[in-house]
Amino acid sequence: MRIEPVNESTCIVYFGDRICDETAGLVKQATDIIRATLSDVITDLVPSYTSVLVCYDLERIDRFDIRSRLRKALKQTPVAAQDELSSQTLELPVYYGPEVALDMEDVCEFSGLSAEEVIRIHSEQTYRVYAIGFSPGFAFLGSTDPRIAIPRKSTPRLKVPVGSVGIAGTQTAIYPSATPGGWQIVGRTPSKMIDWDSESLALAQIGDRVKFRSIARDEFVSLGGQLDEL
């Protein structure tokens, strides 16, 4: 762990240089601990793949004391134990049918696999939430099985439908709202990824685990899923 200043009221805590499950666990642990123990001086926290950006109130603490308090706070429960207590596993239903799997043919051609094989590989993996960004509730999940790790589209769509599940390289993600995007779309979930009752607005939090469950068209519709392009 290392702490580096960004500006007079912000510093960043690094937990590694490699994006992996262990580092994601450390980031999750640190975010929870900092939020719980330094709430009197922290104005914002921005966790990412390998670090946590810490914004603090200069009227309550200076750059020397914040470093000292951060180091003291983070010398707590080992990551494995803390991670199990603070993380959740979300099971998200996904319909992989042709009406919504807009890029399944391209994924199949790129990987040399059938649609059934792509669906099985994508849904049997348990993913870790590495980062939240791009748009509210957009969770970057890793790591995708190398057999279906297809690059982003060369020309992004102007609008990707709400709930679309996409692949880009070694990551997969769900579009929480209709936005432009270049991920390869292989399915759609009826689950709402924005939770307006939570502090972060995101249903999935950094460090959480996500498991996809393949569902039929009828179940997708019954759960509120939309088959149109909006």
Side-chain angles (χ1 to χ4, degrees):
M1 181 188 73
R2 71 181 192 276
I3 304 173
E4 296 183 2
V6 175
N7 56 41
E8 61 180 5
S9 61
T10 308
C11 65
I12 190 165
V13 186
Y14 291 98
F15 297 94
D17 300 316
R18 186 170 62 93
I19 299 172
C20 63
D21 195 71
E22 181 181 358
T23 303
L26 288 168
V27 170
K28 168 66 174 175
Q29 172 188 351
T31 302
D32 291 344
I33 291 175
I34 294 170
R35 184 174 287 121
T37 60
L38 280 80
S39 59
D40 58 321
V41 295
I42 297 299
T43 59
D44 196 14
L45 290 176
V46 184
S48 188
Y49 290 97
T50 61
S51 64
V52 181
L53 184 72
V54 181
C55 304
Y56 51 91
D57 188 345
L58 272 178
E59 294 185 356
R60 297 184 177 184
I61 197 168
D62 61 32
R63 62 190 180 97
F64 300 106
D65 287 339
I66 190 68
R67 288 169 63 94
S68 176
R69 287 191 60 180
L70 283 170
R71 291 190 182 281
K72 181 179 179 180
L74 295 177
K75 290 180 179 178
Q76 293 196 17
T77 309
V79 64
Q82 182 70 25
D83 189 33
E84 290 300 320
L85 292 172
S86 59
S87 298
Q88 61 176 335
T89 297
L90 300 171
E91 183 180 86
L92 302 178
V94 176
Y95 175 49
Y96 292 93
E99 307 99 315
V100 297
L102 308 179
D103 298 306
M104 184 63 80
E105 288 187 8
D106 292 338
V107 176
C108 291
E109 182 178 353
F110 180 85
S111 65
L113 302 170
S114 67
E116 291 74 17
E117 290 172 314
V118 171
I119 294 168
R120 177 183 59 78
I121 292 169
H122 186 262
S123 61
E124 70 183 7
Q125 187 97 345
T126 298
Y127 302 93
R128 170 82 80 159
V129 181
Y130 283 150
I132 304 288
F134 172 62
S135 66
F138 192 101
F140 293 84
L141 313 176
S143 296
T144 307
D145 189 295
R147 291 173 290 176
I148 58 172
I150 181 173
R152 294 169 185 258
K153 299 180 72 64
S154 56
T155 302
R157 287 187 172 85
L158 295 179
K159 181 177 286 187
V160 178
V162 175
S164 292
V165 179
I167 299 172
T170 59
Q171 296 184 93
T172 187
I174 305 139
Y175 283 78
S177 55
T179 60
W183 292 52
Q184 307 283 355
I185 305 304
V186 296
R188 194 176 298 176
T189 179
S191 299
K192 306 302 181 185
M193 299 307 296
I194 299 179
D195 180 2
W196 296 109
D197 294 326
S198 72
E199 183 177 339
S200 66
L201 302 183
L203 177 64
Q205 307 295 326
I206 287 183
D208 287 347
R209 299 184 188 277
V210 174
K211 177 77 174 176
F212 296 122
R213 177 174 63 89
S214 179
I215 60 173
R217 185 182 190 274
D218 289 348
E219 184 177 355
F220 174 74
V221 174
S222 70
L223 291 173
Q226 301 294 318
L227 295 170
D228 57 31
E229 291 291 316
L230 300 178

